[in-house]
Amino acid sequence: MKFSRSIQFNAVPDWSDHYLAYSNLKKLIYTLEQSSNRTEPSQAQDAEALPLIEDAHGDSDEAFRRALDTELKKVCSFYDGKEKEILDEVNAVLEDLEAYKHEKDSGASPLDQSSHSFAPGRGRASSSASALAGSSGVFRSLGFGRPRRASTMSNSIEHARDDHGLEEDIIDETAQLTRSRTSYEPRTTRDDGALGGSMEDMRASKDTAILKHMPGAGHDDFSDRGFSEFYALSVALKKRIISVYVSLCELKSFIQLNKTGFSKALKKFDKILDHHLRSSYMENSVNSADPFRKEAMGKIDNNIFKVERAYADVASKGDLQQARQELRLHLREYVVWERNTVWREMIGIERKAQAARLGWRPTLLGGPQDHARIQRQGDAEETEAGKVVDTPVGRIRCPPWLFSPSAFLLLAIVVIFVVLLSVPILNSSQQQNCLAMLVFVSMLWATEVIPLFVTSLMIPFLVVLLRIVGSEEKPYVRLSAREAAPYIFSAMWTPVIMLLLGGFTIAAALSKYQIAKVMATFVLSKAGTRPRTVLLTNMFVAMVASMWISNVAAPVLSYSTVQPVLRNLPPDSEFSKALILGIALAACVGGMASPIASPQNIIALEHMRPEPSWLIWFFIALPVCFASLFLIWLLLVLTFRLSKGTAIVPLRPAREKFTGVHWFISLVSVGTILLWCVTHQIDGIVGDMGVVALIPMVLFFGTGVLTKEDFNNFLWTVVMLAAGGLALGKAVNSSGLLHTMATAIVQRIEHLSVYGVFVVLSVLILVVASFISHTVAALIVLPLAQQIGANMTTPHPNLLVMGGALMCSAAMALPTSGFPNMTAIMMEDTRTGQRYLHVKHFISRGVPSSILAFLVVISVGYGLMLIVGY
C-alpha cells in the first residue's frame, strides 16, 4: 500500500500543509534504522561521517515519539480551528433554513416548492412584494446583500459557490419555469419600468433582466418578482447546504486519513526497528487526542445527518435517501492504492529502464536524443529541422528518423528479405518463401529494430500472404489463404499459452498478497549475518522463487526483500554488488527449474513429444540448478571481498497475518502445481496442463482476489512473443523447410556422436542467447534442434530440445542476457543515485558463470536426460 500517495491524492488541497507528514516520518525511520545498526566508530573515523542520531533502543523510541508528538500537535491545532469554523457555518445554514421555511409557511411565497407549476393570480402579490422589499426580511438574513465568509470547500465545489455562477444558475432555471408558465394563459406586454428599484439585494441580478422581458399583465408584476426571488433563494440555500456537507465530509476524511497515517507510520517503525511502540502510542496519545476521540467523529456524523435532512427538505421533498445520493455526487472520489502485483512493478521498472536508455535499442520513430540539446524548462519549443535532400523535382525536407541507424538497419533487413524471396535457393517456392520469412523475423528479433511482439504479430500475416503452410495429410498440398488463416491462428493459441497465463496468475496472487515475500523473509531471517551465508541464502530464495513466479518476476521480489540489507551497507560495499549480481544469476539459473519458470521452457514443451511431466522435468532440472547455483556462489565468494566494511542487518520475518484469503490463495496454488505434476496420470480427465491452468484463473479472478487491472498488467508482450514463436515453428515445419534444413545439418554432423551434437548445439545456444533474448533464442533454435534430433541415426529429439532450453537460461554473460540481468543493472543506491553494477561486473563474473552452468548442463544434465530415456 502506497499510503503516501493516498494522502497526496485524498487530502483537501487547501489543507495539505496540515496533514501528517508521512514521508518525513518514513525518512526518519530509515535514518534511525541506519543509526541503530551502526557499529561503534573507530577513533580514526571522520566525525562528519558519523550519524546525526546516536541510537539505542530507547533513544530511537524517544526520537520517533518526539516527531510523532509534533505531528499530532499540528493536526490537533488545525482540527480545533477548522471544526469550529465549519460547525458555525452549519448552524448558520440551519438557522437560515428555518427562517426560509417560516416565511414560506406564512404564505409569503407564491411558489409551491413541490411543483414547478405556478397559477398566476392565486398568490398574494402585495404581501409578497412587501416581504421581498423589506430590508430586514429573510433574504438579508440568508446572506443576500452581505459578504460571505471565505469558502472552505475543495476546488471541485468552489465554482458552484461563486455568486456569478449562482446568478447564472438562477437565470437558467427561472427561464425554464417562465417558459412553461406561458401555456396557462396569454399575457400582454408588461411595463418595463414596473420593477425599477424594488429590491436592493437583487438589484444587479441578471434574473431581473429576464423578468423584465417576460410577457404578462401588469397585476402579475409583484407576483413574478416574488416567485423569482424566492426561487433564487431556494437555489442559493441548496448550494450553501452542499457546501457545508462537503466541508463536513472533508473534515471527517481529514480525521480518518491522519489516524491511518499515525497507525501505518508506527507499524513501519516497529517492523523496521523491531520495536513495539505502536499499540501504546496509539492508545495513549492518538486515540485520546480531540480529533480522534469517538465523540468527535460522532459530532461530525450528527451534523452530517442534520445537513442531509436540511437538503431533503429543500431539494428532494423530504426523501432522505435521495438527498444522500445527490449530496454524495458532490464529493471527490476516494483514491485507493492497492498492493502492486509483481507484474505492475515490472512494468514500472521497464519504463524506467527505457527512460534511462540502459541498453535498449531506440525505436524507429523514437530515436535517442542528444542530452546536450535536450529541452529544458523555459526554453522555446524547438522543432527538428530534418534533412534537406535535392531531387529532380526540387528540395525535399525529410524527417530526422528517416536517416537514423534504426531506419537504415530496417531497410537492410527488408532488402535481404526481398532478395531471399527473389533469388532461387531451394527447389520449392513454398520453402523458399518460408526461408525468407524465417531470416526476416529472426533478424528483426535479434536487432530489436521494432518491438519483439510486433515482429511476432507479423508472422501470421506473412504466412498467409506468402502461402507458406501446407496440409498435414497426403497429398501435401499448399493451403490457400482462406485455409491458411485459421490454421496459423490456431497455432498461436495453444494449451502452452494457457500454461503461461496460469503461471502469471499464480505469480500475481502470491505477490499482491505478500505471500511470496512472507515465505522469502522467513527463510532469509534464518540466514544470520555472515556475508557468505546471507549471499547463498538469497541466491537460493531467488532460484526457488523463479520456479513458481517465473525468472522474469523473481528478481523484482528478491530485490524488494533485501532492501533493508542494502540500506545499511556503505555505498561502496563489495557485498552489495555481490548480492545484487548473485540474485540475478540465481534467477537466470532458476529459469531452468520448472516448466513455468521461463518462456523458453514453455516453448520447449511445445516441441517435445511426448511432453514431459513435471516430475521428469524436476528430476532433470533441479540437480542442474543446485550444482550451477553452488558453483556461481563459489565464484562470487572468490572474486568479491565480501567481508570488507560489511555489517549485515539481520532480516526479520514479515509480520503479515495469514488470513483466510492467504490460505485460499496458497491452497489453490499448491493444488494447481500438484495437478500439473500428475497431469499425465489424469490426462483422461483434464486433457492437458493448459486446462489445469484455468483453475487458478477462474478462482482468483472470479472471487475478486485479482482484478481486471491485474489481468491487464500481465506481460502480454511476452505472451504475444511466445504465440508468434509457436506460429513460426508451425509454419516452418508445415512447409517442409525444417525437415530440409535438419537433413542437411545431420549429413554434415553424422560423424559426431549424440554427445558431440549435444555439446555443439549447447555452445551455439549459449553464444546466441547471450546477445539476444533467451525467449527469442529458444524460438529460433529449438524447432531446429527438434528436427535434428529426430533425423539422427538414433533419434534423440527431446534430449536436444530440453538441453537447448536449459542452455538458454544458462546464458547470463551480459546485462542484456535475460530479464534478471536487466533488472540487476538498473538497481540504484537510493542514497547516492548511483547504480550498484556496471557492465564490467557482468563481463568478469557473468561470462565465467555461463561457462560453469554450461559445464553442468553437458555433464549432469546430459546424464540425467539419458537416465529418463531422452
Side-chain angles (χ1 to χ4, degrees):
M1 295 283 284
K2 300 294 184 181
F3 183 73
S4 56
R5 294 185 179 179
S6 292
I7 289 185
Q8 176 184 354
F9 283 91
N10 295 310
V12 181
D14 293 343
W15 305 351
S16 57
D17 293 338
H18 305 284
Y19 284 82
L20 173 78
Y22 184 76
S23 297
N24 292 342
L25 291 176
K26 282 176 58 178
K27 293 177 182 177
L28 176 60
I29 292 171
Y30 294 142
T31 301
L32 293 173
E33 178 195 24
Q34 293 174 6
S35 300
S36 64
N37 294 309
R38 187 92 58 173
T39 56
E40 288 297 326
S42 62
Q43 294 181 353
Q45 188 173 0
D46 187 359
E48 293 184 358
L50 297 178
L52 296 177
I53 303 175
E54 292 295 339
D55 179 69
H57 187 289
D59 294 337
S60 59
D61 274 8
E62 184 60 30
F64 194 62
R65 187 187 294 272
R66 285 197 302 269
L68 290 174
D69 289 342
T70 301
E71 294 299 320
L72 184 61
K73 183 179 179 181
K74 177 183 70 175
V75 171
C76 292
S77 176
F78 174 78
Y79 173 81
D80 291 340
K82 187 58 64 176
E83 181 195 37
K84 183 179 184 305
E85 177 185 339
I86 294 176
L87 294 185
D88 287 346
E89 185 177 359
V90 171
N91 293 331
V93 171
L94 296 179
E95 289 175 3
D96 291 347
L97 176 63
E98 291 300 320
Y100 168 79
K101 293 166 64 177
H102 174 72
E103 293 205 17
K104 176 186 171 184
D105 294 340
S106 68
S109 172
L111 177 63
D112 182 1
Q113 294 287 350
S114 66
S115 172
H116 288 288
S117 300
F118 177 69
R122 296 182 183 181
R124 297 178 175 84
S126 60
S127 62
S128 177
S130 61
L132 292 170
S135 62
S136 60
V138 66
F139 282 92
R140 190 168 296 281
S141 69
L142 280 171
F144 284 84
R146 72 167 185 249
R148 288 184 181 173
R149 179 181 58 79
S151 171
T152 60
M153 299 176 61
S154 64
N155 292 334
S156 61
I157 307 299
E158 286 178 357
H159 294 291
R161 297 186 62 184
D162 183 80
D163 288 339
H164 179 69
L166 172 61
E167 291 171 358
E168 291 180 346
D169 289 342
I170 295 170
I171 290 171
D172 294 338
E173 297 186 47
T174 307
Q176 182 65 34
L177 287 171
T178 55
R179 282 195 295 271
S180 65
R181 289 171 50 183
T182 60
S183 62
Y184 285 90
E185 61 180 18
R187 298 177 185 265
T188 59
T189 305
R190 68 191 229 183
D191 183 10
D192 289 344
L195 297 178
S198 64
M199 182 175 179
E200 59 178 314
D201 290 309
M202 301 295 291
R203 185 171 297 158
S205 174
K206 298 176 183 177
D207 199 40
T208 305
I210 285 185
L211 292 174
K212 291 168 75 174
H213 295 285
M214 288 174 55
H219 71 273
D220 287 328
D221 289 347
F222 288 112
S223 177
D224 288 343
R225 286 183 54 216
F227 153 76
S228 178
E229 303 297 357
F230 266 90
Y231 187 75
L233 181 62
S234 66
V235 173
L237 192 58
K238 175 181 174 181
K239 290 179 180 292
R240 293 182 62 197
I241 292 173
I242 293 173
S243 168
V244 296
Y245 176 80
V246 173
S247 296
L248 284 169
C249 291
E250 288 175 340
L251 188 64
K252 185 175 180 180
S253 173
F254 179 81
I255 296 173
Q256 293 169 338
L257 274 175
N258 281 291
K259 186 172 183 178
T260 304
F262 279 109
S263 178
K264 287 187 172 293
L266 285 161
K267 179 182 178 180
K268 182 173 286 291
F269 175 80
D270 288 350
K271 175 183 177 181
I272 290 180
L273 278 82
D274 197 24
H275 292 187
H276 302 280
L277 182 61
R278 180 185 182 188
S279 57
S280 62
Y281 191 86
M282 289 295 297
E283 182 66 28
N284 299 329
S285 298
V286 176
N287 294 337
S288 60
D290 288 341
F292 308 110
R293 290 185 291 109
K294 293 182 179 179
E295 294 80 1
M297 188 64 73
K299 184 191 295 185
I300 294 178
D301 289 336
N302 184 47
N303 279 277
I304 288 177
F305 177 78
K306 291 179 181 179
V307 172
E308 290 171 344
R309 173 60 65 187
Y311 186 88
D313 294 340
V314 172
S316 62
K317 305 177 185 179
D319 188 339
L320 186 60
Q321 186 64 30
Q322 180 182 347
R324 285 172 176 164
Q325 292 177 355
E326 293 182 7
L327 284 170
R328 287 183 60 82
L329 295 177
H330 297 277
L331 298 178
R332 292 184 304 123
E333 184 179 356
Y334 184 81
V335 181
V336 178
W337 291 84
E338 296 183 347
R339 288 187 186 273
N340 282 350
T341 64
V342 71
W343 308 118
R344 193 182 307 173
E345 294 174 358
M346 286 167 55
I347 290 172
I349 290 175
E350 183 175 353
R351 287 173 180 167
K352 179 180 177 183
Q354 290 175 344
R357 299 191 296 112
L358 296 176
W360 265 261
R361 180 178 295 279
T363 58
L364 185 62
L365 297 180
Q369 293 180 333
D370 183 0
H371 286 275
R373 298 175 55 192
I374 194 167
Q375 186 175 357
R376 307 292 182 183
Q377 290 182 347
D379 292 348
E381 185 175 357
E382 296 181 0
T383 57
E384 296 190 27
K387 186 177 181 62
V388 177
V389 180
D390 293 324
T391 66
V393 296
R395 305 183 71 184
I396 299 177
R397 188 179 300 276
C398 300
W401 62 265
L402 195 60
F403 298 92
S404 66
S406 297
F408 286 119
L409 183 58
L410 179 60
L411 179 62
I413 294 174
V414 172
V415 169
I416 294 173
F417 175 58
V418 173
V419 169
L420 289 175
L421 285 175
S422 307
V423 178
I425 300 176
L426 302 174
N427 296 328
S428 169
S429 62
Q430 183 181 1
Q431 294 185 14
Q432 177 82 29
N433 291 349
C434 187
L435 175 63
M437 184 196 68
L438 177 63
V439 174
F440 179 62
V441 298
S442 297
M443 293 180 68
L444 289 178
W445 273 335
T447 59
E448 297 186 44
V449 69
I450 61 176
L452 297 176
F453 74 95
V454 177
T455 303
S456 292
L457 293 175
M458 293 173 60
I459 292 173
F461 175 78
L462 294 175
V463 167
V464 174
L465 187 67
L466 300 176
R467 295 186 60 195
I468 290 175
V469 294
S471 61
E472 295 183 350
E473 298 178 355
K474 294 182 179 180
Y476 301 109
V477 296
R478 201 169 182 177
L479 296 181
S480 65
R482 186 180 296 275
E483 296 170 326
Y487 177 87
I488 197 63
F489 279 118
S490 65
M492 294 184 69
W493 195 266
T494 67
V496 171
I497 298 297
M498 292 307 305
L499 182 63
L500 183 63
L501 292 177
F504 283 174
T505 302
I506 291 177
L510 293 177
S511 64
K512 182 174 183 177
Y513 291 88
Q514 304 289 297
I515 297 174
K517 193 169 186 177
V518 168
M519 293 187 294
T521 54
F522 174 78
V523 175
L524 294 175
S525 66
K526 309 299 182 182
T529 58
R530 291 186 59 193
R532 294 182 179 183
T533 307
V534 172
L535 175 60
L536 180 60
T537 307
N538 275 280
M539 293 175 65
F540 172 79
V541 168
M543 188 200 75
V544 174
S546 297
M547 292 176 60
W548 309 117
I549 65 173
S550 88
N551 75 330
V552 180
V556 179
L557 170 69
S558 299
Y559 290 136
S560 65
T561 304
V562 299
Q563 280 302 316
V565 175
L566 297 175
R567 282 197 305 264
N568 289 276
L569 290 172
D572 58 347
S573 172
E574 291 271 297
F575 180 75
S576 61
K577 295 178 175 59
L579 182 60
I580 293 173
L581 185 58
I583 289 175
L585 299 178
C588 288
V589 171
M592 313 176 188
S594 74
I596 62 170
S598 58
Q600 54 264 28
N601 295 355
I602 298 289
I603 297 167
L605 290 178
E606 184 68 14
H607 293 93
M608 296 178 72
R609 294 292 180 271
E611 189 176 280
S613 69
W614 277 50
L615 294 178
I616 291 178
W617 191 286
F618 287 153
F619 176 78
I620 298 171
L622 289 182
V624 173
C625 290
F626 287 126
S628 301
L629 184 75
F630 177 77
L631 293 176
I632 294 173
W633 169 77
L634 193 60
L635 172 68
L636 295 177
V637 169
L638 295 176
T639 57
F640 283 108
R641 292 176 293 177
L642 301 182
S643 300
K644 181 183 178 182
T646 303
I648 298 178
V649 178
L651 291 176
R652 290 177 290 273
R655 296 182 178 179
E656 297 279 346
K657 293 183 178 179
F658 227 66
T659 63
V661 176
H662 293 87
W663 282 112
F664 173 72
I665 294 172
S666 302
L667 291 175
V668 171
S669 300
V670 172
T672 302
I673 292 169
L674 291 177
L675 288 176
W676 277 333
C677 292
V678 298
T679 298
H680 285 273
Q681 285 72 30
I682 59 173
D683 57 359
I685 300 175
V686 297
D688 193 274
M689 286 188 288
V691 177
V692 176
L694 293 171
I695 296 175
M697 297 182 69
V698 171
L699 292 179
F700 290 160
F701 287 104
T703 58
V705 170
L706 296 177
T707 64
K708 180 174 65 175
E709 185 180 355
D710 298 324
F711 187 77
N712 292 338
N713 285 328
F714 281 179
L715 293 182
W716 291 106
T717 55
V718 174
V719 175
M720 296 311 302
L721 178 61
L726 297 179
L728 178 64
K730 192 78 170 178
V732 174
N733 185 54
S734 175
S735 67
L737 176 65
L738 195 61
H739 177 75
T740 301
M741 294 173 61
T743 302
I745 294 175
V746 169
Q747 290 176 354
R748 287 168 173 78
I749 62 172
E750 58 184 359
H751 62 283
L752 296 177
S753 63
V754 174
Y755 183 72
V757 174
F758 180 73
V759 171
V760 171
L761 183 66
S762 298
V763 171
L764 173 65
I765 294 177
L766 180 65
V767 174
V768 172
S770 294
F771 291 95
I772 65 175
S773 165
H774 292 173
T775 306
V776 171
L779 291 173
I780 297 173
V781 179
L782 293 188
L784 183 61
Q786 193 270 341
Q787 281 295 316
I788 293 174
N791 285 277
M792 295 176 65
T793 306
T794 305
H796 291 281
N798 282 3
L799 173 71
L800 297 186
V801 172
M802 186 165 185
L806 298 180
M807 282 310 306
C808 286
S809 297
M812 47 187 128
L814 301 174
T816 55
S817 302
F819 193 87
N821 290 11
M822 297 179 188
T823 308
I825 199 160
M826 288 184 291
M827 289 291 296
E828 294 180 351
D829 189 335
T830 56
R831 297 163 295 182
T832 63
Q834 300 296 318
R835 297 207 306 267
Y836 286 104
L837 299 176
H838 300 281
V839 176
K840 63 180 182 180
H841 295 110
F842 283 95
I843 297 296
S844 59
R845 278 85 175 180
V847 172
S849 297
S850 298
I851 295 174
L852 292 174
F854 163 75
L855 295 175
V856 173
V857 170
I858 65 173
S859 56
V860 178
Y862 178 78
L864 293 173
M865 284 187 281
L866 289 181
I867 291 175
V868 299
Y870 287 171

